[in-house]
Amino acid sequence: QVQLVQSGAEMKKPGTSVKVSCKTSPSTFTGYYIHWVRQAPGQGLQWMGWINPHTSGTYYAHQFQGRLTMTRDASIITAYMELSRLSSDDTAVYYCATSIGWGQGTLVTVSS
Amino acid sequence: DIVLAQTPLSLSVTPGQPASISCKSSQSLLNSEGKTYLYWYLQRPGQPPQLLIYEVLNRFSGVSERFSGSGSGTDFTLKISRVEAEDAGVYYCMQAIELPVTFGGGTKVE
C-alpha cells in the first residue's frame, strides 16, 4: 500500500512562499513519479506537475511555471513542492500523489 | 490542453439502483501503443481522491466489482451497478496521455 505523508497546514501572507513536504516509502520513491495536485475550496482538481524522484526531473503545468519548484531529498525519501508569490487564489488543499495513492493533503491558506 | 467534460454535474441515486457518469475528451486518449490513459477517481468528503479505474476499464486493487469502466477514443463511462451509501462523493475522470494531466469537472453523487 502506498503511503504518502504530508506536512501540516500552513497560513501564509500574499507575496510569500510555501513549501509542502511529502514523505514516501523507499519503494514509492524509486518506483513512481510524484505528482502535485491542488484543490481550491469547493472546487475541482488541478494538476500542478510532477517530479521523477529517481532523476529529479520535473514537469510543471504552464500556469505555474516561474513560481513552482519541485524537489526531493533521497536521503529522507521526501518530495517537496514550493510555490512562490502566493496570492489568495492559491488558497487550496495541496496533494502529493502517485499513480496508485495520494497523500492526505495540506491546507495552504493565503491571507493578509 | 485536453478538456474533459463530465456529465451530469450531479446525480441523486436510490441505494440499490444503478448510476452512470459520462466523460468526453476534446481529443483521443488512445496512444500509438494501443493504450488509453483514462482514469476514474472517487473523492469522499474530507478525503483525498482514490483511484477506482485505470486505463478505461481496469479496477484498481480492492475496488468493488460494482464499479465498471468502458469507452474508447474520446467517450468514456463509469457505471455503478448498485449504488451503496458509501459510494457518495465526487467522481472525477482524468487523462494522462498528454501533459498537462487534466481532470474532468467532477460529478457529485448523492
Side-chain angles (χ1 to χ4, degrees):
Chain A
Q1 187 172 350
V2 172
Q3 279 209 314
L4 300 166
V5 180
Q6 298 183 224
S7 49
E10 301 263 12
M11 185 85 76
K12 293 292 181 180
K13 298 263 189 235
T16 63
S17 300
V18 68
K19 191 170 186 177
V20 179
S21 67
C22 173
K23 186 170 175 65
T24 74
S25 64
S27 60
T28 299
F29 199 80
T30 56
Y32 299 93
Y33 282 31
I34 293 176
H35 301 251
W36 289 88
V37 177
R38 75 177 187 179
Q39 186 171 39
Q43 302 299 309
L45 302 168
Q46 183 181 28
W47 184 81
M48 301 176 70
W50 56 244
I51 181 168
N52 177 343
H54 190 62
T55 66
S56 286
T58 57
Y59 184 98
Y60 304 145
H62 46 77
Q63 60 264 48
F64 297 105
Q65 286 181 8
R67 66 186 192 106
L68 175 61
T69 305
M70 295 181 187
T71 56
R72 71 19 168 186
D73 184 337
S75 67
I76 55 172
I77 49 172
T78 298
Y80 300 92
M81 184 284 301
E82 184 169 19
L83 190 63
S84 63
R85 303 196 303 276
L86 293 169
S87 73
S88 57
D89 290 340
D90 296 313
T91 293
V93 175
Y94 289 76
Y95 295 101
C96 60
T98 69
S99 57
I100 59 172
W102 291 55
Q104 82 275 20
T106 297
L107 175 62
V108 175
T109 304
V110 183
S111 174
S112 55
Chain B
D1 299 358
I2 294 177
V3 176
L4 298 178
Q6 281 185 240
T7 54
L9 290 180
S10 66
L11 200 50
S12 185
V13 188
T14 302
Q17 294 300 303
S20 180
I21 300 169
S22 170
C23 177
K24 294 185 187 297
S25 174
S26 60
Q27 60 193 73
S28 177
L29 303 183
L30 174 67
N31 77 353
S32 58
E33 296 173 359
K35 282 196 170 183
T36 303
Y37 292 96
L38 187 282
Y39 303 77
W40 289 98
Y41 288 86
L42 163 61
Q43 186 176 32
R44 297 189 175 100
Q47 298 291 316
Q50 59 183 89
L51 180 63
L52 297 175
I53 302 286
Y54 63 96
E55 294 173 15
V56 180
L57 50 74
N58 301 288
R59 271 187 301 275
F60 186 57
S61 175
V63 173
S64 170
E65 291 181 355
R66 298 182 294 102
F67 291 92
S68 63
S70 63
S72 63
T74 60
D75 288 357
F76 304 94
T77 301
L78 176 71
K79 291 184 179 175
I80 312 173
S81 59
R82 297 174 307 282
V83 172
E84 297 183 359
E86 66 182 22
D87 301 334
V90 181
Y91 291 77
Y92 294 96
C93 57
M94 183 198 84
Q95 68 78 23
I97 191 174
E98 180 181 287
L99 295 177
V101 170
T102 52
F103 293 89
T107 296
K108 187 172 185 179
V109 172
E110 300 174 308

